[in-house]
Amino acid sequence: MLVYPFLATGAAAQYPLVRTERRKRLETVTPGGHVSRMLAGSPAEVTWRLEYAELSDSEAGAIEALYTATRGGLMAFTFVDPLANLLAASEDLTTGAWSRDALLNVSVTGPGEFAVSNGSLAAQGVQQGVALPAGAPCCLSAEVKGAGVTLSLGGVSRHFAAAAGWQRIWVNGFGLGEGTAARLDVDGGGQAMVRGLQVEAQAAPSPYKPTYGAAGVYPQTRFATDGLEISATGPNRNAVIVILKSKVAE
């Protein structure tokens, strides 16, 4: 699998970074001639403008190598959106995007808020696979209250004690490729209230970004320019502007 490279620091990108979306417009006309227009729920196409400075020769070479391997914009690769929640359907833990252990019950208690009840004496959980590049820094965060819970991501787990009020909790790890699993377990016999589950391609969480459908991992991304111009600004220092484009699956 071809994957857009992370920087040596583990960062997914540098700033400034611009993300734009092109959306389909739905239009209906009644027999009386009234026209109604609305935007489709998901973007049809996403474009990123990534502006890099002070790249090492190896970092610039990795971007150039991917450009060569994909023959410019001909072949697709996977891009992990630095600005997105990488979980699908974070606002609905009852959908097929999530897998749940047999004795775990998930019920909706409000918009984007869930009661997660464990009918077993052992920990039971809900999880989702995330296609994170091997070795990429990542973090899983959530808001919880009630029973104790454990967050697991990239082979790293962290337990959090029961709490009466809402608290933001998180764990950081490293991507394990397509087999990376983001998981929340509830202690045996307990019930936790959960909202705001989020995975990001960075070592610590940022404010929650809800998702209602697809995740922020784009496997059909391509270079959007005919060439790649890397400028050497000094010894082992390089600058480049990269423009990427991805069509979003229906």
Side-chain angles (χ1 to χ4, degrees):
M1 180 177 68
L2 294 172
V3 179
Y4 190 82
F6 280 56
L7 300 178
T9 59
Q14 291 181 352
Y15 289 101
L17 163 63
V18 179
R19 181 184 192 272
T20 57
E21 297 179 356
R22 183 177 64 83
R23 294 178 178 267
K24 292 182 178 180
R25 187 180 69 179
L26 305 178
E27 182 175 302
T28 58
V29 182
T30 67
H34 176 74
V35 179
S36 176
R37 299 184 179 92
M38 64 180 295
L39 293 177
S42 299
E45 188 176 78
V46 183
T47 301
W48 298 267
R49 177 186 168 91
L50 309 172
E51 192 168 333
Y52 296 100
E54 303 296 321
L55 291 184
S56 68
D57 291 344
S58 62
E59 289 172 325
I63 297 173
E64 186 176 27
L66 179 64
Y67 188 87
T68 301
T70 57
R71 302 178 186 177
L74 182 62
M75 297 170 59
F77 53 87
T78 295
F79 179 69
V80 179
D81 190 344
L83 302 177
N85 183 349
L86 307 183
L87 290 173
S90 69
E91 286 289 282
D92 192 350
L93 304 186
T94 67
T95 70
W98 297 90
S99 60
R100 293 165 291 279
D101 290 341
L103 297 179
L104 191 79
N105 181 66
V106 178
S107 58
V108 179
T109 58
E113 186 176 296
F114 306 88
V116 184
S117 304
N118 184 356
S120 166
L121 295 179
Q124 295 273 291
V126 57
Q127 73 174 41
Q128 183 179 138
V130 187
L132 277 163
C138 53
C139 67
L140 166 65
S141 58
E143 284 190 72
V144 299
K145 67 177 179 179
V149 302
T150 299
L151 293 184
S152 303
L153 180 68
V156 179
S157 297
R158 186 179 176 189
H159 182 263
F160 300 87
W166 288 104
Q167 59 175 339
R168 190 72 179 172
I169 60 175
W170 59 281
V171 63
N172 60 359
F174 294 92
L176 302 174
E178 294 185 357
T180 307
R183 182 177 176 89
L184 181 145
D185 282 286
V186 178
D187 289 353
Q191 181 184 79
M193 304 297 295
V194 179
R195 66 189 183 193
L197 274 161
Q198 179 163 270
V199 170
E200 299 170 87
Q202 55 193 39
S206 65
Y208 173 62
K209 297 170 280 292
T211 61
Y212 301 91
V217 179
Y218 294 83
Q220 292 297 317
T221 305
R222 288 175 168 82
F223 288 97
T225 54
D226 291 334
L228 186 67
E229 185 176 342
I230 299 176
S231 302
T233 57
N236 202 32
R237 296 165 60 189
N238 301 273
V240 63
I241 295 175
V242 178
I243 300 177
L244 307 177
K245 185 172 292 186
S246 181
K247 292 188 179 297
V248 179
E250 296 293 338

